[in-house]
Amino acid sequence: MDGFTGSLDDSMSGASVSDVNDRLSALELRVQQQEDELTVMKAALADVLRRLAVSEASVCASKKHAGKGGGALREAYSMSSIANGGTPGRKRESASVTRKETMSSAAKSGAERKKELGSQRSQMEEIQEREELPHPKDLSPSPSSPHPPQNLQQQRAPQSTDGSKANVPPKRGPSVKRSQSSPWDAPEENRNRLVKAASTSKLLTKVVKNADRHKEPVISQDGSHIKMFMRGRPITMFIPSDVENYEDVRTELPSERLKLEWVYGYRGRDCRANIYLLPTGEMVYFVASVVVLFNYEERTQRHYLGHTDCVKCLAIHPDKIRIATGQIAGVDKDGRAVQPHVRVWDSFSLSTLQVVGLGTFERGVGSLAFSKADSGQHLSVIDDCNDHMLTVWDWQKKSKIAEIKTTNEVVLAVEFHHTDPHIIVTCGKSHIFFWTWSGNLLARKQGIFGKYEKPKFIQCLAFLGNGDILTGDSGGVLLVWSRSSAETPSGKGSRAFQISRQVKGHEGSVFCVCEMRSGTLLTGGGKDRRIILWDHELRADRDIEVPDQYGAIRAVSEGKGDEFLVGTSRNFILRGTFNDGFQVEVQGHTDELWGLASHPSRGMFLTCAQDRLVLAWSSEDHSLQWSRTLEEHGHCADFHPSGAVVAIGTHSGKWYVLDAETTDLVAIHTDGNEQLSLMRFSVDGGLLAVGSHDNFIYLYTVSENGRKFSRYGKCTGHSSYITHLDWSPDNNLIMSNSGDYEILYWDVPNGCKLIRNRSECKDIDWATYTCVLGYHVFGVWPEGSDGTDINALVRSHNRKVIALADDFCKVHLFAYPCSTPKAPSHKYSAHSSHVTNVSFLYNDSHLISTGGKDTSIMQWRLVERSLLSLPDGLLSHPAPPGVDPPFPLLPPTGSTHKPVLPPIANGTQEPFPETPPPTTTPPHSISTPPPSDSTVSLKDSLEPSDDTATPSDEGLPPLPPPS
């Protein structure tokens, strides 16, 4: 989102771009819904035909009467097939993938409608499948040419003994012929027939129930192949010869587990005030659904994993130990709402102290703040709903004290007054409100600008030592708001705040302000990218400009000594001083991320995204090795087996070859004008396969250690875009998948010829396994999938496990092979968007996963289950060693010392009665977490769902569901 560069765009955080994307997504969903309604109609008509045929057979009426009775509806069904242009599958699939790649994160979170409609399509198309006759001439049917299972053929056989073809609807397709009573011959009559037939849609519920019985995979009678169904289409997979009896095949959970080791990236493009330095020397920030605690001196990370969707805001308790983070609303894969809420947690033990606001917030937590004057006993929260509701909580009791509508305009910040516990300030578009809080009442007083120009946005606020309020606005002006002397403190209500001083601060907007320990202030500008230090008299003392390549300033925070931390709109976190300039501590991608490739012999991996950036990372020291900007949006990549070069495919059909060491451009080629789905070198590096959205696989011979490429041939035969591809160990064969659920095999030495008899390839031990459709991996598919739920799959080099990236923010770990339906898996949550890719490092020590819209990169460590001891399972990341705090700690006041329960990996807590409570130490101690005012029950965590990291994934017993 680069809409922040202008002053107005700076203020809105790219809201206009997001709004346009949301509208486009809504229109796409409406078109898809209409297509689905047509599919349901056809399915209802097909069910009528089936019921009619059964009735005719049982009654044994005269053939003449039966023909008349079924003719009209069969003719109507035939017309329906013609009028809607044959099979719409391919068109729908392309639209589905286009939506997934372009829709905004807000539309992405509305996946429950997609799942519901996709499930209906799957069931309806399956019923239509049963009505089509088999094609005996086709020995190796493709998934796009559906055949009914044998048991269904046997069931239908008695119905066709009369020799009449009236009971079989015509096959739909581009070459279907018009029936004698086509819509063009008798439009009025046929329209009436269609309306009659449409009334049978009342039977839809029963149709769905009948269809459910035929969604399970079907084994052939001779045991040679198995068919799974995707949106009603059969996908045939041949069973390898070494499987003597498929009924004996079992798939167990893998002994390996994943532990999150490192998170690359930062969310700065559309957030603010989300970087702070803790007493442990760690900076705290967030990306995706992970809150990261990063010690930049020791190069270590710890992670709070309690959230179930995008974290949007962050606040630090006055004791500098407890932290509150708020998340947005979402939907899990089963269509259940993931409710927005605030989690208050301990930064030492990573244990969750309270979960606040479940069922209260509508869209998400926009901003939040702890109270200051009463030592953080209360929490104020702004909901991102239309009314931007302001709520005040006693967070330790999880009780809501007050609630009120603020405004329909955007609210950007909320803060408690530092010295007056009854004053709350909110600001945003064209307003600043001063709220007087008394009991469960909130009274609003609007800030009056009078002779001063009213800004479009008030972006940030801070409190001066004398109790005055400082605001920064979109015009680059700093305003000081002081209490009016016209009212006395003993009068009813608090005194109003009025502007007492105006200072021109920045060119463009003042995006953030930070109060320093010395009483001075730091402000950050959006357009001018300047950081200014202001003295006690609000005079500019020093300033420094953030280099343009880092983007506009989004957050400023005080660091150690004279250092300060800066978050930018291009997702950089910088550490700098006015004397020495800036040093990059954290960086990542800024747009949707898809491309991922691991180096064949080093602990290095590469990512490319729609931001045109190509980044090479070291998995060992977790640092960026090099970066390069392309002219096109990157989408896929692969290293040459020598590791000397890397090939990168883009959205335009152009692909680049870069030197993996110097980043020099080695070659540029173009294949078609559509998006490239994958780049895949053969095992010996002598060939390169390029999969495209134009349905072709382009092959190149490779020489000079990956520096010379010559066109060799083209694989033609897929009916949809290429999705996945693998090579055989001898470099002679290719297995590929497409968006039409096809599994095709290609003979490369014989002119890239399509292998018609697919059973010939059933015993090939593929060098890699990234195809998502095939006998060895079909068990990874969830029930009711629409075929787009799995974005990437990869087999480990030791052939023990399969890692999978899905559309529901999850990384899965399956055992290999995975050849039984609904196979069990370990699931892991950290991403907050569709997981787009996964890749094992060359030695299988780590797994890398990439998030789409969340732009994050997660590095997971593979751990044998035997190594997951109980202490490791209890503490995903141990508390940091005791260090001298960079600033003094404020002890929590009025608290009752109670033991803090040990946390589990997702930030929730599990009691262990046999463990004695820890010895309580004074609140100033760094080595132990602070005492809490309340005990924590299991109900404090969210409802168990697939969006939370399951305790079983960390070697612990699962939490009981809340009562």
Side-chain angles (χ1 to χ4, degrees):
M1 294 193 180
D2 293 330
F4 299 104
T5 53
S7 60
L8 180 57
D9 293 335
D10 246 349
S11 313
M12 285 304 295
S13 302
S16 59
V17 176
S18 176
D19 191 44
V20 171
N21 287 338
D22 289 346
R23 293 183 180 181
L24 287 174
S25 300
L27 290 174
E28 290 173 346
L29 290 173
R30 287 185 61 186
V31 172
Q32 183 67 24
Q33 184 179 4
Q34 291 173 355
E35 290 180 355
D36 295 327
E37 290 173 353
L38 291 174
T39 303
V40 171
M41 177 72 71
K42 295 173 186 177
L45 292 172
D47 185 65
V48 169
L49 290 175
R50 182 184 61 79
R51 290 169 179 270
L52 186 59
V54 172
S55 176
E56 290 168 350
S58 60
V59 174
C60 298
S62 65
K63 293 183 180 180
K64 180 178 180 180
H65 177 72
K68 291 180 179 179
L73 288 180
R74 280 190 291 275
E75 190 175 51
Y77 177 73
S78 172
M79 290 160 40
S80 173
S81 301
I82 298 171
N84 287 282
T87 304
R90 176 181 171 190
K91 188 176 296 185
R92 281 203 306 272
E93 290 146 15
S94 299
S96 174
V97 171
T98 302
R99 278 202 311 277
K100 181 161 65 178
E101 296 176 354
T102 59
M103 70 197 307
S104 67
S105 57
K108 189 73 184 177
S109 66
E112 79 278 16
R113 176 173 290 276
K114 170 186 170 186
K115 295 302 302 175
E116 180 182 351
L117 296 178
S119 176
Q120 291 179 0
R121 287 196 299 275
S122 160
Q123 295 155 349
M124 295 307 104
E125 291 176 8
E126 187 174 324
I127 295 173
Q128 295 178 28
E129 175 66 29
R130 297 189 336 225
E131 296 298 325
E132 296 186 348
L133 286 176
H135 304 271
K137 293 182 181 181
D138 192 355
L139 298 179
S140 58
S142 68
S144 58
S145 302
H147 304 282
Q150 294 185 9
N151 59 343
L152 294 183
Q153 298 178 27
Q154 295 169 0
Q155 292 175 9
R156 201 170 54 232
Q159 301 175 14
S160 57
T161 53
D162 57 356
S164 172
K165 296 183 180 180
N167 290 338
V168 182
K171 180 180 179 182
R172 292 180 295 149
S175 60
V176 66
K177 297 180 180 180
R178 298 178 186 175
S179 62
Q180 292 182 352
S181 40
S182 67
W184 293 274
D185 295 335
E188 188 62 36
E189 179 184 356
N190 290 320
R191 185 160 55 248
N192 292 336
R193 289 172 178 168
L194 279 176
V195 170
K196 256 185 183 179
S199 64
T200 61
S201 62
K202 295 179 181 180
L203 302 173
L204 180 58
T205 303
K206 293 183 179 180
V207 173
V208 172
K209 289 182 180 179
N210 292 334
D212 284 340
R213 292 199 296 265
H214 304 285
K215 291 172 66 175
E216 297 295 329
V218 178
I219 307 173
S220 63
Q221 289 184 349
D222 59 2
S224 63
H225 64 271
I226 186 170
K227 287 185 179 181
M228 66 175 289
F229 296 87
M230 196 75 69
R231 291 173 63 182
R233 300 184 181 190
I235 302 172
T236 303
M237 297 163 291
F238 290 91
I239 300 175
S241 302
D242 58 359
V243 179
E244 297 180 359
N245 184 5
Y246 177 77
E247 300 295 337
D248 297 333
V249 175
R250 299 289 183 270
T251 303
E252 305 294 338
L253 279 170
S255 60
E256 292 83 356
R257 304 294 181 95
L258 295 179
K259 270 188 172 294
L260 184 60
E261 180 177 279
W262 202 266
V263 177
Y264 302 85
Y266 156 70
R267 182 167 182 168
R269 66 190 186 278
D270 59 351
C271 294
R272 62 186 69 214
N274 60 349
I275 303 175
Y276 295 96
L277 186 68
L278 299 178
T280 58
E282 299 167 303
M283 65 171 73
V284 57
Y285 59 93
F286 55 78
V287 62
S289 64
V290 182
V291 187
V292 182
L293 296 92
F294 173 44
N295 190 316
Y296 52 83
E297 292 181 342
E298 300 179 5
R299 302 299 300 177
T300 59
Q301 277 189 359
R302 298 188 298 139
H303 310 110
Y304 178 74
L305 300 174
H307 284 283
T308 58
D309 214 304
C310 294
V311 182
K312 197 66 184 295
C313 54
L314 181 151
I316 306 295
H317 193 275
D319 64 12
K320 309 295 183 183
I321 295 173
R322 288 171 281 191
I323 297 175
T325 44
Q327 75 170 58
I328 65 172
V331 177
D332 67 12
K333 73 181 186 67
D334 297 320
R336 296 176 298 187
V338 176
Q339 296 177 332
H341 61 276
V342 175
R343 302 182 80 93
V344 183
W345 49 280
D346 186 286
S347 63
F348 288 104
S349 64
L350 301 181
S351 57
T352 300
L353 303 177
Q354 290 292 6
V355 179
V356 177
L358 282 173
T360 298
F361 307 126
E362 183 177 332
R363 290 185 185 170
V365 181
S367 55
L368 72 167
F370 281 104
S371 57
K372 308 299 190 299
D374 59 3
S375 300
Q377 293 183 8
H378 298 95
L379 190 69
S380 59
V381 183
I382 294 291
D383 188 357
D384 259 345
C385 62
N386 291 335
D387 291 335
H388 296 96
M389 302 298 295
L390 167 63
T391 52
V392 180
W393 300 80
D394 183 336
W395 64 267
Q396 293 167 334
K397 298 178 181 178
K398 295 204 305 184
S399 62
K400 181 170 62 176
I401 301 175
E403 181 177 23
I404 195 170
K405 171 185 174 180
T406 58
T407 175
N408 290 330
E409 303 290 356
V410 175
V411 178
L412 299 175
V414 59
E415 288 287 350
F416 279 93
H417 197 283
H418 280 204
T419 58
D420 189 340
H422 301 291
I423 297 296
I424 301 174
V425 185
T426 62
C427 64
K429 183 178 180 181
S430 302
H431 76 272
I432 179 170
F433 295 146
F434 304 96
W435 304 86
T436 302
W437 167 41
S438 176
N440 60 352
L441 299 177
L442 285 164
R444 186 182 77 180
K445 290 187 179 180
Q446 185 169 353
I448 305 300
F449 291 89
K451 62 180 181 179
Y452 300 97
E453 181 180 357
K454 186 175 184 179
K456 293 182 179 178
F457 292 89
I458 296 181
Q459 302 270 40
C460 54
L461 60 93
F463 296 90
L464 305 179
N466 59 1
D468 290 348
I469 300 172
L470 178 77
T471 61
D473 61 42
S474 55
V477 174
L478 299 176
L479 295 175
V480 178
W481 299 78
S482 303
R483 287 186 187 270
S484 172
S485 58
E487 298 181 48
T488 61
S490 59
K492 293 184 179 180
S494 63
R495 293 173 295 168
F497 284 86
Q498 295 180 347
I499 299 175
S500 61
R501 188 178 175 188
Q502 173 180 281
V503 178
K504 177 63 177 178
H506 291 265
E507 178 185 350
S509 66
V510 182
F511 212 91
C512 49
V513 57
C514 169
E515 309 156 60
M516 308 289 280
R517 294 187 295 272
S518 61
T520 57
L521 295 171
L522 282 179
T523 59
K527 184 178 180 180
D528 61 9
R529 306 187 314 281
R530 291 170 63 221
I531 295 176
I532 302 177
L533 175 66
W534 304 85
D535 63 16
H536 296 80
E537 302 299 325
L538 210 57
R539 293 178 301 217
D541 186 6
R542 305 188 67 177
D543 71 278
I544 187 173
E545 184 175 335
V546 173
D548 179 61
Q549 67 263 28
Y550 300 138
I553 298 169
R554 286 291 171 265
V556 174
S557 179
E558 187 172 17
K560 294 182 179 180
D562 59 350
E563 293 179 345
F564 47 86
L565 307 175
V566 182
T568 73
S569 61
R570 293 184 183 172
N571 294 345
F572 284 88
I573 296 180
L574 311 174
R575 177 168 58 96
T577 65
F578 287 105
N579 294 326
D580 301 328
F582 296 98
Q583 178 179 341
V584 176
E585 294 295 346
V586 179
Q587 66 185 102
H589 287 281
T590 60
D591 209 340
E592 191 164 356
L593 172 59
W594 281 85
L596 173 66
S598 296
H599 195 279
S601 58
R602 291 167 45 193
M604 171 182 171
F605 62 92
L606 177 142
T607 56
C608 57
Q610 293 186 14
D611 56 10
R612 298 185 174 89
L613 284 177
V614 179
L615 305 178
W617 307 88
S618 169
S619 65
E620 297 166 355
D621 58 13
H622 312 115
S623 62
L624 182 71
Q625 298 294 291
W626 53 261
S627 67
R628 178 170 180 132
T629 303
L630 301 178
E631 297 176 355
E632 308 282 347
H633 302 290
H635 189 79
C636 54
D638 193 32
F639 278 96
H640 187 268
S642 68
V645 299
V646 60
I648 302 166
T650 69
H651 277 234
S652 65
K654 184 181 294 185
W655 53 277
Y656 301 81
V657 181
L658 302 179
D659 189 293
E661 294 294 333
T662 65
T663 75
D664 292 338
L665 184 62
V666 174
I668 302 179
H669 295 270
T670 301
D671 288 308
N673 56 4
E674 296 192 38
Q675 174 183 301
L676 299 182
S677 310
L678 58 90
M679 314 289 292
R680 193 78 73 232
F681 284 99
S682 60
V683 179
D684 63 358
L687 292 166
L688 172 67
V690 181
S692 172
H693 271 229
D694 63 8
N695 304 356
F696 300 131
I697 300 173
Y698 300 91
L699 290 176
Y700 285 79
T701 57
V702 185
S703 57
E704 299 181 10
N705 205 25
R707 296 185 176 273
K708 185 176 180 180
F709 297 82
S710 302
R711 175 71 75 84
Y712 174 75
K714 182 169 67 172
C715 299
T716 304
H718 274 296
S719 60
S720 186
Y721 54 92
I722 314 302
T723 58
H724 304 87
L725 180 150
D726 290 295
W727 285 91
S728 63
D730 59 5
N731 312 295
N732 290 330
L733 300 177
I734 289 176
M735 171 175 59
S736 58
N737 293 164
S738 73
D740 231 5
Y741 321 128
E742 295 168 317
I743 309 173
L744 300 186
Y745 301 92
W746 311 90
D747 188 346
V748 176
N750 292 330
C752 309
K753 184 180 178 181
L754 175 66
I755 299 175
R756 297 290 178 180
N757 187 2
R758 294 184 296 151
S759 63
E760 297 176 0
C761 303
K762 66 181 181 181
D763 293 325
I764 296 176
D765 186 15
W766 299 96
T768 59
Y769 217 118
T770 60
C771 286
V772 297
L773 295 172
Y775 170 79
H776 294 88
V777 298
F778 80 89
V780 304
W781 285 92
E783 185 177 6
S785 175
D786 67 352
T788 64
D789 299 332
I790 296 178
N791 297 316
L793 175 150
V794 64
R795 181 187 65 192
S796 62
H797 299 88
N798 60 17
R799 301 168 186 258
K800 288 185 178 181
V801 294
I802 302 169
L804 182 145
D806 72 14
D807 256 2
F808 310 105
C809 316
K810 296 292 185 298
V811 174
H812 296 251
L813 201 64
F814 291 86
Y816 179 85
C818 187
S819 304
T820 56
K822 305 174 188 175
S825 70
H826 299 305
K827 299 183 230 179
Y828 300 93
S829 299
H831 292 283
S832 61
S833 173
H834 49 296
V835 186
T836 54
N837 217 330
V838 284
S839 179
F840 286 100
L841 296 185
Y842 76 103
N843 58 0
D844 290 334
S845 62
H846 294 82
L847 175 75
I848 309 299
S849 63
T850 58
K853 290 294 185 180
D854 66 32
T855 71
S856 65
I857 306 167
M858 307 289 178
Q859 180 171 317
W860 308 81
R861 179 164 50 94
L862 256 72
V863 183
E864 288 287 343
R865 186 173 185 178
S866 59
L867 300 179
L868 278 171
S869 61
L870 186 59
D872 286 337
L874 290 177
L875 275 178
S876 173
H877 302 277
V883 294
D884 293 330
F887 38 81
L889 298 178
L890 297 178
T893 60
S895 62
T896 304
H897 289 213
K898 295 185 180 180
V900 177
L901 299 177
I904 62 176
N906 66 343
T908 58
Q909 296 178 345
E910 173 113 14
F912 290 91
E914 69 278 8
T915 304
T919 304
T920 305
T921 57
H924 287 281
S925 171
I926 297 295
S927 59
T928 57
S932 172
D933 285 317
S934 59
T935 56
V936 182
S937 68
L938 297 178
K939 296 179 183 179
D940 294 334
S941 60
L942 288 177
E943 274 189 30
S945 73
D946 289 336
D947 284 287
T948 56
T950 56
S952 58
D953 290 344
E954 298 296 334
L956 293 176
L959 291 174
S963 57

